[in-house]
Amino acid sequence: MRNSKKVTSFRHGKVVFKWCDECATLVLGDECAICGSVGRPFSVTAPGDLRPCLQADTELLKRIFYTYFGVPDFLDGVQIFLNKIPGEDRADEIVVDGRVIGVLLFDIVSDDFRLELRIDGARALADIAKKGVVEIDMPRGHLKGKNIPGTMIKRARGTFNANDPLIVLAGDFICSGIARVPSDQAKNSERAIGIRDVGRGRLRIAGKKRCWSRFVEANISYFKTLEAKAVSDVKSYLNSKKDMPVTLSFSGGKDSLACFGILEKASKKFSMIFVNTGLEFPETTEYVRRFAEKRGFELLIADANNGFWNNVDFFGPPSKDFRWCCKVCKLGPLTALIEDRFPKGTITIEGNRTFESFARARIAFVENNPFVPNQIILNPIREWRSVDVWGYIWWKNLEYNPLYENEYERIGCYLCPACLASEWKRTKMLHPKLSSQWEKYLYAWASKMNMPEEFVKYGFWRWKVLPKKMRRLAADIKISIPTVRTDCIQMKMVKGATPCVAGGFSLEGVVMIPRKRSFAKIAEMMKTIGPVRYSDEYEIAMVKTKDGTIKVFGGGQIVVTSSTPDTTDELFELAVKALLRSQLCTECGICVKNCQRKAIKLNDGPMILEERCSHCGKCTDACVIAHYYDKLVSR
């Protein structure tokens, strides 16, 4: 959770790691704990959330390299690391022997993986590849970025298809390339091969067989230091709040598992909380129960039951930018559990990491959760990378979720819109009944919304507002897809202004509106009502005024509490108008002109200068969208 004045940032460029050639493993600390080597530096794309390549992914890579180059064996027994980079779907840099040899990509249209060969991969495979190698005459000028005509091809090792990665030999140069046409058409093509990058000299993959225990051994001092700091931070805070009970948020994922190891050393007395969204993988629920029982800790389950299926018809499929399911299936059950079991509050240790997403890039060690009353969150591994987490888990010999051995990078709800298409393909193989139930619903929903089947087939449903990469995909496959999902604006009153258990009155409703802008714009517009606190991750914004409290959620849910029914209704109307204005603003500038304090600027919708805004409401009164509020919203 963060104050609205904070700006979330993320890392770009390159990140440097080190590789010990003697011990054939990654070095995370100052030196290798086995041989004392400081390591050879190599770089990966930022933010550099490097992770080990586990068994299923290793087998996948062997299949890929065999398909293109006929040589899978060079990967046997060696340590491989993956580094997630931006892409249409799954995109991972492949690190072998301390060098990025390629990029593993999942192609949504073909529903399969492909390889983009990097120059170090070409240099390493040039002599051992049984296919995918082309020798050409040396052209004039520079090679990088050049398209080579078929007449310059001297010989080829094996056959290839269009778009296959190639190793191109040109005199003393070794190049990574791509086939523009199939090998049987190459001789007659003016653009037979594209050159991506150019280098000199062969590389030899050391091929030293190293299990992951070797990686842990080489970095044991580093992991001890990581643990010591995290344990110290947690202990220090818990000692300052000795009267508050301690809990661990245990999702069944690797990050919460690492936090278990830390908390077990920092405090022997704590309970584990598992939020069962009703959409968990069977492997996850079984793993969580088994782990807690084996370790002898109390497991508290916040159960959403059928909350998702009871609400999906009204809200529609959740999307990356429309995550109503988080409130219904996570925050709701969690709030109820904490209010019931910890009425005076709890300190919860969570495995949030800054490298996971833009939304988490600025998390602090201590976070007050304004949306779950009386919960203080500690984030002891916030600065850890994925490779730190895995090394720590192996060092502490902690049993992890078996799904990680099945090509899953992250583990959450099985139908989460944030999951990759590659992971969804795996889910269909592992759990055909669960996946077919969801796909059946999606196709029926798409038909009702007059969407083509491709809207579901290629995963366009996962966004309310399509990002550029998905708009490009739609253009590439020549289908007409609306940029914004065609959900109409409707308002459903969940509960009228009724007496609240905590005192005063409360009112709840849901406004269904097509999302044209991010949730941050909703939070921005709510600044016209009062000071805003919001969460990017859970898409929740809260305003406290002298008359009451307003909470607006990313799914359009609005909850208002106030001292009287009239003020409750007034605050609710203000919240709905702010929501509509944030999404339907035409940037006409009327509000800017009507603001005497010059507190509004336009930048893809209004931007509110909090230090100038007096919350007078004149901008709302002047807005055409707010004026026709009762016409825009269907009850």
Side-chain angles (χ1 to χ4, degrees):
M1 306 300 168
R2 60 185 182 84
N3 187 281
S4 62
K5 290 185 179 180
K6 278 190 176 182
V7 179
T8 300
S9 64
F10 216 57
R11 302 160 181 83
H12 298 280
K14 294 290 183 179
V15 176
V16 176
F17 286 90
K18 295 180 294 182
W19 188 266
C20 177
D21 289 312
E22 176 63 28
C23 300
T25 193
L26 186 70
V27 176
L28 298 173
D30 294 332
E31 61 181 30
C32 175
I34 299 173
C35 70
S37 168
V38 296
R40 166 176 51 83
F42 69 95
S43 62
V44 299
T45 301
D49 196 23
L50 209 64
R51 70 186 191 276
C53 181
L54 302 183
Q55 185 60 40
D57 278 329
T58 298
E59 293 303 317
L60 169 63
L61 289 179
K62 289 172 67 175
R63 175 175 69 83
I64 291 291
F65 278 96
Y66 178 77
T67 298
Y68 292 123
F69 301 108
V71 283
D73 297 344
F74 76 101
L75 296 175
D76 283 342
V78 302
Q79 289 183 11
I80 307 169
F81 292 86
L82 301 174
N83 181 52
K84 182 166 63 176
I85 61 175
E88 185 179 273
D89 194 70
R90 180 175 175 180
D92 286 316
E93 289 176 328
I94 307 162
V95 177
V96 176
D97 216 28
R99 304 179 192 278
V100 178
I101 66 169
V103 178
L104 178 68
L105 299 163
F106 187 79
D107 184 79
I108 293 177
V109 176
S110 66
D111 196 36
D112 203 357
F113 288 94
R114 60 186 178 86
L115 177 71
E116 181 182 292
L117 191 67
R118 292 282 179 88
I119 186 60
D120 279 353
R123 294 171 65 201
L125 296 176
D127 288 339
I128 63 174
K130 297 177 181 178
K131 56 186 293 190
V133 181
V134 178
E135 187 176 348
I136 64 172
D137 291 321
M138 185 65 189
R140 292 182 178 180
H142 65 276
L143 275 168
K144 188 173 182 178
K146 187 181 289 291
N147 285 302
I148 306 300
T151 53
M152 296 187 68
I153 296 177
K154 296 168 65 175
R155 61 185 65 86
R157 205 180 299 169
T159 60
F160 51 82
N161 297 313
N163 298 316
D164 279 1
L166 295 175
I167 300 166
V168 182
L169 307 179
D172 293 334
F173 294 100
I174 300 174
C175 314
S176 59
I178 184 172
R180 302 294 188 196
V181 296
S183 53
D184 59 359
Q185 300 175 23
K187 280 292 184 182
N188 299 319
S189 174
E190 293 184 1
R191 291 163 49 92
I193 298 170
I195 304 297
R196 290 187 180 275
D197 207 351
V198 181
R200 287 178 184 268
R202 268 65 170 171
L203 287 175
R204 179 178 173 273
I205 299 293
K208 294 180 179 179
K209 311 301 181 185
R210 294 289 185 262
C211 60
W212 291 116
S213 60
R214 187 72 166 179
F215 162 66
V216 174
E217 185 182 0
N219 294 283
I220 191 68
S221 300
Y222 176 82
F223 294 131
K224 286 181 178 179
T225 301
L226 275 184
E227 181 188 59
K229 182 182 185 306
V231 170
S232 175
D233 288 345
V234 172
K235 274 186 175 181
S236 177
Y237 190 84
L238 295 185
N239 286 336
S240 70
K241 302 279 187 179
K242 291 184 178 180
D243 294 334
M244 291 190 71
V246 181
T247 52
L248 169 70
S249 178
F250 196 72
S251 67
K254 69 182 189 308
D255 297 328
S256 60
L257 179 59
C259 285
F260 172 87
I262 291 165
L263 187 54
E264 188 180 36
K265 195 164 184 178
S267 172
K268 296 298 182 182
K269 188 178 180 181
F270 62 90
S271 301
M272 300 170 67
I273 295 177
F274 173 58
V275 180
N276 187 349
T277 61
L279 304 170
E280 305 297 323
F281 283 97
E283 292 91 339
T284 297
T285 54
E286 171 59 27
Y287 162 73
V288 169
R289 292 179 188 275
R290 184 177 66 248
F291 185 92
E293 182 179 351
K294 182 178 178 181
R295 296 281 176 163
F297 284 89
E298 179 185 30
L299 178 64
L300 305 177
I301 300 178
D303 206 330
N305 296 307
N306 291 320
F308 178 84
W309 297 106
N310 291 340
N311 287 277
V312 68
D313 283 341
F314 178 71
F315 292 122
S319 62
K320 291 186 177 185
D321 50 354
F322 182 55
R323 292 185 289 180
W324 60 265
C325 47
C326 286
K327 175 181 182 290
V328 172
C329 302
K330 288 185 178 180
L331 290 180
L334 179 61
T335 300
L337 183 145
I338 289 178
E339 287 179 344
D340 178 50
R341 296 298 300 265
F342 308 103
K344 294 184 179 180
T346 179
I347 300 171
T348 303
I349 282 70
E350 291 192 354
N352 299 313
R353 296 188 301 111
T354 62
F355 291 96
E356 289 182 290
S357 66
F358 289 94
R360 295 184 179 182
R362 287 287 185 89
I363 56 174
F365 173 59
V366 181
E367 299 271 337
N368 290 309
N369 191 341
F371 308 108
V372 179
N374 299 323
Q375 186 186 39
I376 297 173
I377 297 171
L378 302 186
N379 300 302
I381 66 167
R382 63 198 180 282
E383 296 176 351
W384 291 24
R385 299 177 191 270
S386 184
V387 70
D388 299 333
V389 172
W390 279 109
Y392 181 75
I393 287 171
W394 287 327
W395 172 44
K396 304 299 287 188
N397 196 27
L398 298 172
E399 176 192 359
Y400 55 87
N401 194 321
L403 286 173
Y404 283 114
E405 295 287 0
N406 277 285
E407 295 180 21
Y408 289 93
E409 179 216 341
R410 59 173 296 278
I411 294 173
C413 301
Y414 69 85
L415 54 68
C416 180
C419 80
L420 299 169
S422 60
E423 292 174 328
W424 182 243
K425 181 179 181 179
R426 194 68 172 175
T427 298
K428 289 196 288 186
M429 295 171 60
L430 292 176
H431 295 289
K433 288 185 178 180
L434 292 177
S435 58
S436 63
Q437 178 191 20
W438 180 231
E439 286 197 336
K440 182 179 179 180
Y441 179 87
L442 285 174
Y443 280 112
W445 174 84
S447 177
K448 186 169 63 175
M449 294 290 110
N450 295 315
M451 297 287 191
E453 288 189 354
E454 289 85 356
F455 193 79
V456 175
K457 181 179 180 181
Y458 298 123
F460 292 100
W461 66 271
R462 294 186 292 155
W463 288 269
K464 266 281 194 178
V465 181
L466 292 181
K468 288 182 179 179
K469 65 179 182 180
M470 297 307 290
R471 296 200 296 269
R472 285 196 299 267
L473 175 62
D476 290 343
I477 60 179
K478 296 179 173 57
I479 61 171
S480 178
I481 296 289
T483 303
V484 181
R485 267 174 31 181
T486 56
D487 308 62
C488 62
I489 305 174
Q490 293 183 333
M491 184 163 70
K492 174 184 176 183
M493 300 307 297
V494 178
K495 182 177 69 173
T498 57
C500 182
V501 175
F505 293 81
S506 65
L507 187 155
E508 295 184 26
V510 181
V511 177
M512 296 297 295
I513 180 172
R515 285 278 289 273
K516 291 176 61 179
R517 299 182 176 93
S518 70
F519 184 77
K521 292 296 183 180
I522 299 174
E524 188 71 21
M525 186 55 67
M526 289 179 66
K527 293 176 184 177
T528 61
I529 304 173
V532 177
R533 294 191 69 188
Y534 77 101
S535 162
D536 279 335
E537 180 179 5
Y538 289 112
E539 295 194 335
I540 308 172
M542 181 173 70
V543 174
K544 284 189 176 182
T545 73
K546 61 182 179 62
D547 296 319
T549 300
I550 300 170
K551 294 180 183 177
V552 177
F553 299 81
Q557 305 97 317
I558 300 174
V559 180
V560 174
T561 56
S562 187
S563 57
T564 69
D566 288 343
T567 54
T568 303
D569 286 333
E570 290 169 5
L571 289 175
F572 185 84
E573 182 172 324
L574 286 175
V576 175
K577 288 180 177 179
L579 176 59
L580 293 175
R581 291 177 65 197
S582 71
Q583 298 303 304
L584 303 180
C585 175
T586 62
E587 297 192 274
C588 67
I590 293 176
C591 60
V592 176
K593 295 174 183 177
N594 276 269
C595 180
Q596 297 177 356
R597 299 177 68 91
K598 301 186 184 302
I600 305 174
K601 292 184 177 180
L602 294 178
N603 181 12
D604 187 29
M607 298 289 291
I608 311 302
L609 305 178
E610 287 184 283
E611 66 275 12
R612 294 184 180 180
C613 181
S614 63
H615 319 299
C616 66
K618 290 183 179 179
C619 59
T620 303
D621 294 339
C623 179
V624 175
I625 292 170
H627 180 74
Y628 289 107
Y629 147 79
D630 58 340
K631 300 291 192 300
L632 288 167
V633 179
S634 174
R635 292 175 181 258

